[in-house]
């Protein structure tokens, strides 16, 4: 399988008053086309930062210090270095080629706009030309069907004007005349058909994420929907432009278990239907085993182990992965915990960051970090035991 | 649309806010129809200058000719308060409008971008806030030549910092919300995020403060006029009418309340105008409170 995203040596640091926090340290990770890659780890292990780094949305005072993130654009058949793109080009990728679903569906929706408004905004941002084409066809059919009566006679010049504007947008999404008119009150109404078309696409999209009665839901405000519905709406927003990579940052954490199951089913279907890759960030190993093809385990900003999902659960190699799997609560089993606390990101232990908590630490672990190496096919681990 | 209907219904339902609306409505009618209510005498130049009937310092009692009497210098009080309504609206709306725009622009830039930009803008507002507002306004008007325009400029200069701070604080809070991050994740530009996503969630406290402040601004302008730092003498302005009455608050010892109209009438106009805006502002606060049930 071909790669979609190639992350090499990426470091993310936060410059705080207390010192430099190494949120991600020399991360190497590939996301392949059409796969679901899970990232698991404790709170603060850098899972979310990895996701934000791909979108270049690391919050202030954080910075992506070094490395490269290559995005292989299937449509253009081109490799794009995301870290070197201009902010403007990057914006055209966010939400369009790579989009993200956030943890808390209630918080990820703006309370002052309806669901429909928010999802159509994505279309208006990224697919103006397509929308203009559809709108032009609609105006054409209005002009062609030769209705009479004084209303149609009055409107005809406006329709012609609209047709001209939409053709301009369809050719060049930033052409001057429609942009200027869009800023003027009253004239703005000429461009209304764009948002009408966007709304139609939105309703289709909502239907796609299995929302019943999508036209009605599109007119609702976020607070009028249940948590599961909101999450579906957020997923619809992320999928609106058929992205090649969908980043899901703990999308099921805040939902109750039955809704979680429905969401996982939805993610599985999306992957099959749309052929998108999914980067699934979670701290729930059960969820990861359900949806992922491969799983990457992170600890304190470093990658410990990457393996296909069965391999990882049946044959975990890294001591941290083993400890994590032991710590999964199961009925009739004594609950084990990992001794110690997560490594301090301000003053990380030297060598392997897990060594203070590792049952099988060797002297070398305190000095030198182990490099990620492939021990069997597709199974990579960063540990001196192997 | 439903929101607008909801707002109107709430406004009308509450007796206090209804009183506020009625007061402001009456003042608006007075301001709009001022030329009909108090026609400018033929041959009189600028309609905003109050016509005077002689030069005697002693106020004259209300009569057929001067409905509310005349004040010091024989300026017609009725004409003054009616045309003064226009000045009051102009001062209140212009000052608050400009101040809100400045506050929104600077405050949202400071709050959204943070860092050095925030630091610079906020230190400038600190400098302005360090001076007592009324004294700074007085100093500015004195420097600029007393006139209604310089009163407005002075009030804008002293009141924008608190708006910039208010907006900044609300933007700071909204900025951390997931939907802001989400809209950036969907490819929205900074300007779009601020205008479309951050401001609509952060602007309500400012709108409430603005509606409350329209009254307060008019009061400050009246205070400046009262101190002689306002419009030129004879200009229709409530503050100036009260200033004319300064020597006539207490009448001759035989009849201390003889000149009550010279003080009370302009004073009541100011009182009801400020009260109307305050009631309206309170009503807005209640309506725009998101915790209030919508349906």
């Amino acid at each position: 399988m071909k790669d979609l995203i190639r992350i090499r040596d990426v470091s993310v640091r936060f410059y705080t008053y207390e010192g430099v926090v190494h949120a991600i340290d020399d991360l190497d990770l590939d996301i392949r086309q059409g796969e679901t890659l899970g990232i698991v780890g404790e709170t603060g292990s850098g899972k979310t930062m990895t996701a934000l780094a791909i979108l270049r949305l690391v919050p202030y005072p954080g910075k992506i210090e070094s490395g490269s993130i290559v995005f292989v654009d299937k449509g253009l058949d081109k490799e794009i270095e995301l870290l070197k793109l201009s902010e403007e080009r990057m914006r055209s990728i966010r939400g369009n080629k790579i989009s993200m679903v956030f943890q808390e569906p209630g918080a990820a929706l703006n309370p002052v706009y309806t669901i429909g408004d928010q999802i159509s905004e994505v279309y208006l941002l990224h697919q103006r030309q397509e929308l203009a084409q559809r709108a032009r066809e609609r105006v054409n059919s209005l002009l062609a069907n030769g209705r009479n009566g004084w209303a149609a006679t009055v409107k005809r010049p406006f329709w012609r004007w609209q047709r001209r504007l939409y053709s301009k947008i369809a050719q060049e999404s930033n052409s001057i005349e429609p942009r200027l008119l869009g800023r003027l009150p009253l004239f703005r109404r000429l461009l209304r058909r764009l948002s009408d078309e966007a709304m139609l696409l939105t309703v289709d999209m909502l239907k796609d994420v299995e929302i019943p009665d999508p036209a009605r839901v599109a007119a609702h405000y976020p607070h009028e929907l249940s948590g599961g519905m909101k999450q579906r709406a957020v997923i619809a927003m992320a999928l609106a432009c058929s992205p090649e990579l969908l980043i899901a940052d703990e999308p099921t954490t805040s939902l109750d278990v039955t809704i979680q199951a429905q969401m996982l089913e939805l993610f599985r279907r999306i992957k099959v239907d749309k052929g998108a890759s999914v980067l699934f960030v979670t701290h729930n190993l059960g969820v990861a085993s359900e949806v992922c093809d491969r799983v990457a385990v992170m600890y304190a900003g470093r990658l410990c182990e990457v393996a296909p999902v069965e391999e990882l659960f049946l044959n975990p190699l890294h001591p941290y992965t083993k400890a994590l799997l032991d710590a999964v609560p199961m009925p009739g089993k004594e609950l084990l915990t990992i001794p110690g606390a997560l490594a301090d990101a301000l003053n990380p232990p030297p060598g392997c960051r897990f060594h203070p908590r590792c049952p099988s630490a060797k002297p070398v672990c305190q000095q030198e970090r182990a490099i990620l190496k492939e021990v069997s096919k597709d199974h990579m681990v960063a540990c001196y035991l192997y | 649309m439903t929101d607008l209907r909801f707002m109107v219904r709430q406004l009308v339902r509450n007796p206090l806010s209804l009183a506020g609306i009625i007061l402001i409505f009456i003042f608006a009618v007075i301001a709009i129809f001022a030329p009909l209510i108090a026609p400018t005498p033929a041959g009189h130049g600028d309609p905003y200058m109050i016509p005077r009937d002689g030069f005697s310092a002693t106020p004259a009692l209300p009569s057929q000719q001067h409905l509310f009497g005349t004040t010091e210098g024989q300026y017609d009080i009725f004409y003054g308060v009616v045309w003064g309504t226009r000045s009051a609206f102009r001062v209140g709306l212009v000052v608050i409008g400009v101040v809100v725009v400045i506050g929104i622009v600077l405050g949202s830039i400071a709050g959204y971008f943070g860092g050095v930009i925030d630091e610079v803008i906020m230190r400038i507002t600190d400098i302005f806030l360090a001076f007592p507002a009324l004294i700074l306004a007085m100093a500015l008007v004195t420097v600029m030549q007393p006139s209604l325009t310089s009163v407005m400029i002075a009030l804008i200069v002293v009141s924008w910092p608190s708006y910039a701070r208010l907006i900044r604080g609300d933007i700071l809070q909204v900025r951390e919300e997931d939907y802001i991050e989400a809209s950036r994740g969907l490819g929205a530009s900074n300007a779009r995020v601020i205008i479309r996503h951050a401001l609509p969630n952060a602007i309500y406290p400012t709108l409430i403060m603005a509606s409350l402040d329209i009254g307060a601004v008019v009061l400050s302008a009246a205070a400046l006029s009262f101190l002689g730092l306002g419009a030129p003498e004879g200009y229709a302005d409530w503050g100036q009418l009260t200033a004319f009455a300064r020597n006539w608050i207490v009448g001759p010892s035989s009849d201390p309340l003889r000149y009550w109209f010279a003080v009370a009438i302009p004073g009541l106009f100011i009182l009801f105008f400020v009260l109307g805006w305050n009631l309206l502002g309170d009503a807005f606060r209640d309506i725009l409170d998101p915790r209030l049930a919508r349906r």
Side-chain angles (χ1 to χ4, degrees):
Chain A
M1 253 194 287
K2 276 161 80 186
D3 290 337
L4 180 70
I5 294 270
R6 222 175 290 136
I7 303 175
R8 289 284 175 273
D9 293 326
V10 164
S11 299
V12 174
R13 300 208 176 117
F14 281 75
Y15 292 89
T16 64
Y17 287 121
E18 286 112 273
V20 182
V21 176
H22 299 253
I24 301 179
D25 219 17
D26 294 335
L27 185 83
D28 289 344
L29 191 62
D30 297 333
I31 304 171
R32 295 169 191 168
Q33 290 184 0
E35 77 165 351
T36 303
L37 174 69
I39 300 186
V40 299
E42 294 170 61
T43 307
S45 57
K47 307 181 301 265
T48 303
M49 271 317 135
T50 311
L52 291 176
I54 295 175
L55 282 170
R56 273 184 39 198
L57 283 178
V58 173
Y60 180 84
K63 262 168 83 181
I64 304 176
E65 284 287 283
S66 58
S68 87
I69 300 177
V70 171
F71 170 67
V72 183
D73 194 321
K74 239 190 304 184
L76 299 172
D77 199 25
K78 221 167 58 180
E79 297 198 350
I80 302 170
E81 168 60 65
L82 295 182
L83 296 185
K84 292 202 180 103
L85 278 188
S86 69
E87 183 58 31
E88 206 187 327
R89 290 280 312 280
M90 194 64 217
R91 278 209 299 273
S92 70
I93 285 183
R94 288 183 199 136
N96 191 15
K97 306 272 185 186
I98 305 176
S99 63
M100 186 156 176
V101 173
F102 286 82
Q103 177 172 0
E104 191 77 52
L109 291 168
N110 192 330
V112 301
Y113 296 112
T114 61
I115 302 290
D117 279 343
Q118 295 186 55
I119 301 178
S120 28
E121 188 183 359
V122 185
Y123 289 111
L124 290 169
L125 273 173
H126 295 298
Q127 300 199 339
R128 257 172 93 82
Q129 288 174 310
E130 289 85 338
L131 291 176
Q133 260 164 27
R134 288 163 137 264
R136 187 178 52 183
E137 269 149 41
R138 204 151 296 229
V139 180
N140 268 336
S141 72
L142 272 177
L143 281 165
N145 80 18
R147 249 188 308 159
N148 287 315
W150 69 270
T153 321
V154 171
K155 282 181 181 164
R156 218 157 269 269
F158 288 101
W159 288 341
R160 290 216 185 85
W161 193 0
Q162 283 187 324
R163 183 169 61 180
R164 201 160 54 87
L165 286 176
Y166 294 143
S167 312
K168 274 193 178 162
I169 301 174
Q171 270 167 20
E172 162 66 56
S173 81
N174 269 335
S175 62
I176 305 278
E177 189 187 347
R179 249 181 79 182
L180 263 174
L181 289 177
R183 299 245 177 266
L184 299 172
L186 285 180
F187 289 104
R188 197 178 292 164
R189 310 238 351 144
L190 285 167
L191 299 178
R192 259 195 71 105
R193 282 172 200 278
L194 287 184
S195 30
D196 291 350
E197 293 299 325
M199 195 54 97
L200 289 176
L201 291 175
T202 300
V203 172
D204 279 353
M205 195 67 233
L206 286 173
K207 205 186 290 166
D208 239 26
V209 292
E210 293 157 21
I211 286 183
D213 202 354
R216 200 175 51 91
V217 171
H220 277 328
Y221 286 90
H223 70 269
E224 298 172 313
L225 301 182
S226 68
M229 286 284 231
K230 273 187 261 189
Q231 189 61 291
R232 281 173 199 274
V234 171
I235 293 172
M237 201 191 300
L239 288 176
C241 293
S242 317
E244 292 179 31
L245 175 65
L246 177 66
I247 299 172
D249 184 9
E250 310 207 20
T252 60
T253 311
S254 63
L255 304 172
D256 64 59
V257 195
T258 46
I259 308 292
Q260 272 192 21
Q262 291 176 12
M263 286 301 142
L264 297 183
E265 195 48 50
L266 183 63
F267 272 104
R268 249 193 303 242
R269 224 204 62 219
I270 288 162
K271 201 181 67 178
V272 176
D273 286 5
K274 312 251 167 191
S277 304
V278 180
L279 179 66
F280 204 94
V281 175
T282 181
H283 58 240
N284 187 332
L285 290 168
V287 167
S289 72
E290 280 283 314
V291 288
C292 299
D293 300 317
R294 289 195 307 146
V295 177
V297 181
M298 283 188 81
Y299 181 79
R302 282 183 190 167
L303 214 51
C304 300
E305 187 166 3
V306 187
V309 65
E310 293 103 39
E311 175 83 6
L312 188 95
F313 281 86
L314 296 176
N315 182 24
L317 293 180
H318 198 283
Y320 178 62
T321 316
K322 287 181 188 165
L324 263 189
L325 287 171
D326 283 338
V328 173
M330 266 186 240
K333 193 195 83 172
E334 197 194 338
L335 184 64
L336 296 173
T337 55
I338 308 175
L342 182 70
D344 182 3
L346 268 176
N347 301 301
C352 172
R353 290 196 176 162
F354 188 58
H355 83 256
R357 303 169 78 184
C358 183
S360 37
K362 297 197 279 189
V364 64
C365 295
Q366 297 174 20
Q367 324 271 314
E368 207 111 359
R369 70 178 285 195
I371 304 156
L372 200 68
K373 60 184 172 207
E374 194 159 3
V375 286
S376 60
K377 189 183 177 313
D378 264 2
H379 193 156
M380 285 181 287
V381 64
C383 184
Y384 278 113
L385 294 172
Y386 304 97
Chain B
M1 220 49 213
T2 53
D3 275 8
L4 198 69
R5 213 175 302 150
F6 169 84
M7 254 173 85
V8 172
R9 187 150 29 95
Q10 289 291 317
L11 272 176
V12 177
R13 194 181 284 163
N14 180 349
L16 280 179
S17 62
L18 189 63
I21 291 175
I22 291 173
L23 280 172
I24 298 305
F25 180 75
I26 292 172
F27 279 112
V29 168
I30 294 177
I32 292 167
F33 295 108
L36 298 178
I37 299 170
T40 316
H44 186 73
D46 183 1
Y48 284 98
M49 300 307 285
I50 309 172
R52 61 198 304 185
D53 190 9
F55 292 88
S56 157
T58 322
L61 292 181
S63 64
Q64 201 70 21
Q65 205 186 350
H66 304 292
L67 220 48
F68 290 161
T70 58
T71 190
E72 189 180 276
Q74 300 311 310
Y75 289 104
D76 185 68
I77 296 180
F78 180 73
Y79 190 94
V81 289
V82 168
W83 284 82
T85 313
R86 286 191 165 191
S87 311
F89 270 111
R90 191 163 71 201
V91 171
L93 296 178
V94 168
V95 169
I96 290 299
V98 173
V99 156
V100 166
V101 169
I102 296 175
I104 285 178
V105 171
L106 290 180
S108 51
I109 287 174
Y112 184 79
F113 291 104
V116 181
I117 302 172
D118 182 29
E119 202 66 30
V120 170
I121 294 178
M122 281 305 113
R123 292 303 75 79
I124 295 173
T125 63
D126 280 349
I127 293 170
F128 279 92
L129 285 171
F131 295 100
L134 203 58
I135 295 182
L136 179 59
M138 279 166 63
L140 286 170
V141 175
T142 320
V143 169
M144 280 186 293
Q145 294 285 347
S147 77
L148 206 61
T149 317
S150 42
V151 168
M152 289 198 280
I153 293 172
L155 289 175
I156 289 168
V157 170
V158 298
S159 45
W160 71 267
S162 46
Y163 281 83
R165 291 210 135 183
L166 184 70
I167 287 265
R168 169 185 173 266
D170 289 317
I171 292 274
L172 272 182
Q173 188 190 351
V174 169
R175 176 178 84 159
E176 301 301 323
E177 298 281 351
D178 273 0
Y179 53 79
I180 298 297
E181 189 79 7
S183 64
R184 296 212 295 138
L186 291 170
S189 61
N190 281 331
R192 195 182 178 86
V193 172
I194 294 178
I195 293 169
R196 236 186 96 82
H197 292 280
L199 271 180
N201 284 292
I203 204 164
Y204 289 123
T206 310
L207 293 184
I208 293 159
M209 184 156 127
S211 60
L212 285 169
D213 262 4
I214 291 180
V217 161
V218 171
L219 210 55
S220 310
L224 287 175
S225 279
F226 186 77
L227 295 170
L229 291 168
E233 194 189 319
Y235 196 89
D237 171 57
W238 297 339
Q240 192 169 65
L241 285 175
T242 51
F244 282 140
R246 192 163 38 185
N247 296 331
W248 308 97
I249 296 171
V250 181
S253 54
S254 58
D255 185 8
L257 292 181
R258 189 178 165 82
Y259 304 117
W260 64 274
F261 52 89
V263 188
I265 287 171
L268 283 176
F269 268 72
I270 296 174
L271 170 72
F272 282 119
F273 190 81
V274 176
L275 183 69
W277 282 110
N278 278 357
L279 292 176
L280 209 60
D282 277 345
F284 275 132
R285 189 191 56 206
D286 291 345
I287 291 166
L288 298 176
D289 188 341
R291 276 163 298 199
L292 208 69
R294 287 253 142 173
R295 290 201 172 93

